[in-house]
Amino acid sequence: MASTPSIPPVNSPTQSQAPVEKPSAPPVHILPSKVARIYSFVHPGLILALGASRFQAVVANPAQELLQDLPWLALLQLFYVILCVPPAGSSEPGSSDNEEKKKPAARSPSSPGVTLRPGKPGLRRKPSSGKSDWSGVWAKLMPAFLSLALTSILATPVLSALLVLFGAPLTTHNAETLLCAAHMAFLSATGLIYAHGVDNSVWKEVWGIARPADAVWGAALGTGLGAWFGAIPIPLDWDRPWQAFPITILTGAYIGYAAGSLISRVPFVYGKRVQFAVEDTEEDEKKTN
């Protein structure tokens, strides 16, 4: 009696399919309007001008001057994100799909947008009442104010703790530490929260220094690196008044913000990620094994 051939077991769809990971958020584009593109280059200069113009006052009285400068920094950042950065949840600017959707369809003589009457020229639709314009403005104002609120409530305490962990005095200069953290938070976190919201996958990449380069992430990374290098002159025995905490840290943060936001938009840098040599060697070892 002939034996029947064995049929290999068929894997169920749940066994054969691996869990699909959420794709990484693409780099943030500057809005395509001419005003937004121009101001995106002017804004880093305004940030540097704010820091340079108040430098001597900060040296004379750090806590009081940093508190007075904080609203101006918040206003500049608020204006920047509203004018130049797409809010979280909006469609990517400049994509071909959106451009095709925005193109008006060709109207025929029988189109409902044109009313033809005997002996009279075509009457077009009345312009919109302006409600849609106000809704568009509100759609940017609301996430902008929320980003400032979350920056103040969440990012400032986190950066204050990090400053203490990296050597800021714990029992003294508490006002200076808090205000330094607030300035750094407004520089680094406002744009990130406005552009990405509270997306968990994006913030994992932020803390892992794995975001693709763009104006928002470059500014945040530049702020951190600038503050890091700005702390170098503090322990040196030069006996200069500007070496006091946190003057050089904030100076480095302001310079790093401006440099990072501009360098990250260079074509051969934009969209690239920071690569660590350790990860590269681990991947090579896995391939050889």
Side-chain angles (χ1 to χ4, degrees), residues 4 86 111 159 207 243:
T4 58
S111 173
L159 288 176
W207 289 109
Q243 286 182 262

Side-chain angles (χ1 to χ4, degrees), residues 41-222:
F41 289 103
V42 175
H43 180 73
L46 293 178
I47 293 294
L48 287 178
L50 175 64
S53 63
R54 308 308 301 169
F55 181 79
Q56 295 297 332
V58 172
V59 173
N61 192 341
Q64 180 181 352
E65 189 59 33
L66 290 179
L67 182 61
Q68 293 178 357
D69 294 343
L70 194 59
W72 294 105
L73 177 61
L75 186 63
L76 283 174
Q77 291 296 86
L78 189 72
F79 186 72
Y80 169 70
V81 295
I82 291 175
L83 186 63
C84 301
V85 180
S90 64
S91 58
E92 283 292 321
S95 62
S96 58
D97 294 338
N98 293 329
E99 289 177 357
E100 291 180 359
K101 290 179 182 178
K102 291 179 182 178
K103 290 180 181 178
R107 291 183 176 180
S108 61
S110 60
S111 173
V114 180
T115 304
L116 299 179
R117 295 181 182 179
K120 293 184 178 182
L123 300 178
R124 297 186 177 276
R125 286 179 178 176
K126 294 181 180 180
S128 60
S129 59
K131 293 182 179 179
S132 59
D133 297 337
W134 280 109
S135 63
V137 172
W138 182 250
K140 290 188 174 184
L141 283 176
M142 176 60 76
F145 284 114
L146 284 176
S147 64
L148 282 180
L150 291 176
T151 298
S152 303
I153 296 171
L154 299 178
T156 300
V158 171
L159 288 176
S160 299
L162 288 177
L163 285 174
V164 173
L165 291 175
F166 280 100
L170 179 60
T171 57
T172 61
H173 297 79
N174 294 326
E176 287 83 351
T177 301
L178 183 63
L179 289 170
C180 178
H183 277 253
M184 291 177 60
F186 282 159
L187 289 172
S188 60
T190 304
L192 287 172
I193 297 175
Y194 182 84
H196 301 294
V198 291
D199 191 343
N200 188 31
S201 61
V202 171
W203 286 100
K204 284 182 179 178
E205 291 180 340
V206 168
W207 289 109
I209 317 180
R211 285 292 304 154
D214 54 45
V216 174
W217 168 236
L221 185 60

